[in-house]
């Protein structure tokens, strides 16, 4: 059973297009994240949702719009793709603050490699 | 601001030799610290974590790390490296508000 799953794993598209990446976790966690990993492997948080509510939004262009239909899903939609959006996007989840101390341990998906041509 | 520094971009170790990867953090309170490993084309996997208590923590795959408050360090060690340990290693600190900040990573290369 895959705990945090992302689709698609690879995505190649043209500049200006709109694309979405989906994420689902079956761990029963309250909090989900999107991280971006650039070509130098640097990992930067983009968004975080807790029980479908946005709690972290890190100066990401508004072309990026996360959506959480329920606490097990966090999707990322990107409008008007640019060359600089090429990266690996990781979804992650954590148990969250509800129900006890949250230590911040993240469980990651395998990543979605986005290439913008 | 909270931050994590991994001073070594890449390290090469001979198979069977010992390994130490450095990590320094900047955080006002007692931090929650983590080491993650990323194999090529894969997501990140937790190796070990420190929250409180014993400053020497054991992780998976024979890794351990030692929290040293006086040096603001959380270095990762392994006594004998295997070729399968070649990967990217990330140190991270929980800054509170359910947010992990990662270091820039250290690529480990293992030579025969």
């Amino acid at each position: 059973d895959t705990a945090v799953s992302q689709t698609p794993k690879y995505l190649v598209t043209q500049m200006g297009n709109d694309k979405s990446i989906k994420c689902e976790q079956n761990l029963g966690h309250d909090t989900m994240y999107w991280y971006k990993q650039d070509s130098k492997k640097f990992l930067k948080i983009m968004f975080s949702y807790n029980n479908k509510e946005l709690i972290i939004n890190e100066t990401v262009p508004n072309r990026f719009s996360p959506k959480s239909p329920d606490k097990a899903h966090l999707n990322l939609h990107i409008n008007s793709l640019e060359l600089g959006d090429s990266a690996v996007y990781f979804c992650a989840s954590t148990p969250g603050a509800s129900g006890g101390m949250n230590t911040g341990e993240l469980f990651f998906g395998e990543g979605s490699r986005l290439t913008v041509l | 601001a909270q931050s994590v520094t991994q001073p070594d971009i890449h390290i090469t170790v001979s198979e069977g030799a010992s390994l130490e990867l450095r990590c320094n953090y900047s955080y006002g309170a007692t931090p929650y610290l983590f080491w993650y490993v990323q194999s090529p084309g894969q997501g990140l996997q937790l190796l070990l974590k420190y929250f409180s208590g014993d400053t020497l923590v054991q992780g998976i795959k024979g890794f351990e790390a030692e929290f040293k408050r006086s040096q603001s360090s959380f270095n990762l060690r392994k006594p004998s490296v295997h070729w399968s340990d070649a990967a990217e290693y990330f140190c991270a600190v929980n800054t509170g508000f359910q947010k992990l900040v990662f270091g820039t990573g250290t690529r480990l290369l293992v030579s025969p």
Side-chain angles (χ1 to χ4, degrees):
Chain A
D1 279 349
T2 303
V4 182
S5 58
Q6 300 178 224
T7 55
K9 191 166 183 177
Y10 298 97
L11 189 52
V12 180
T13 188
Q14 301 286 333
M15 269 197 317
N17 283 351
D18 303 337
K19 290 294 177 185
S20 293
I21 306 172
K22 296 186 177 182
C23 179
E24 175 182 3
Q25 54 95 4
N26 61 7
L27 298 168
H29 289 168
D30 290 333
T31 307
M32 296 183 72
Y33 302 80
W34 280 109
Y35 275 81
K36 179 180 180 181
Q37 186 176 47
D38 63 22
S39 59
K40 295 184 179 179
K41 300 289 187 180
F42 182 62
L43 273 160
K44 185 169 168 47
I45 190 170
M46 301 174 68
F47 300 104
S48 174
Y49 272 72
N50 183 267
N51 270 322
K52 303 191 296 179
E53 182 181 341
L54 180 67
I55 55 172
I56 295 175
N57 184 343
E58 292 280 309
T59 60
V60 177
N62 57 15
R63 298 182 295 105
F64 290 79
S65 51
K67 282 189 173 56
S68 182
D70 55 62
K71 75 172 193 176
H73 295 84
L74 180 61
N75 304 324
L76 183 65
H77 187 75
I78 315 170
N79 289 326
S80 303
L81 279 156
E82 300 177 357
L83 293 176
D85 297 332
S86 296
V88 181
Y89 292 85
F90 284 100
C91 179
S93 70
T94 192
S98 61
M101 181 177 70
N102 172 46
T103 57
E105 176 183 348
L106 298 184
F107 295 76
F108 282 86
E110 293 193 339
S112 297
R113 181 177 292 277
L114 171 64
T115 302
V116 182
L117 305 176
Chain B
Q2 299 86 355
S3 66
V4 176
T5 302
Q6 294 180 247
D8 303 306
I9 296 173
H10 46 75
I11 282 182
T12 301
V13 175
S14 298
E15 191 167 14
S18 63
L19 167 71
E20 183 168 26
L21 301 182
R22 295 184 290 167
C23 172
N24 292 95
Y25 67 90
S26 169
Y27 186 58
T30 299
Y32 294 155
L33 294 159
F34 305 81
W35 276 99
Y36 284 84
V37 61
Q38 184 182 24
S39 298
Q42 301 294 313
L44 281 77
Q45 180 184 21
L46 180 70
L47 281 176
L48 48 77
K49 57 194 176 189
Y50 171 78
F51 300 147
S52 63
D54 193 346
T55 56
L56 183 64
V57 293
Q58 302 297 320
I60 62 171
K61 305 184 180 186
F63 285 92
E64 65 179 27
E66 187 170 11
F67 170 62
K68 292 186 178 180
R69 185 188 298 277
S70 60
Q71 298 177 18
S72 296
S73 69
F74 188 57
N75 294 349
L76 182 71
R77 301 194 293 248
K78 186 169 184 179
S80 177
V81 167
H82 187 262
W83 64 266
S84 61
D85 293 324
E88 193 89 22
Y89 291 80
F90 293 92
C91 183
V93 62
N94 183 355
T95 65
F97 305 103
Q98 304 175 36
K99 179 178 168 182
L100 270 192
V101 172
F102 286 86
T104 49
T106 298
R107 175 166 291 183
L108 173 64
L109 304 171
V110 180
S111 60

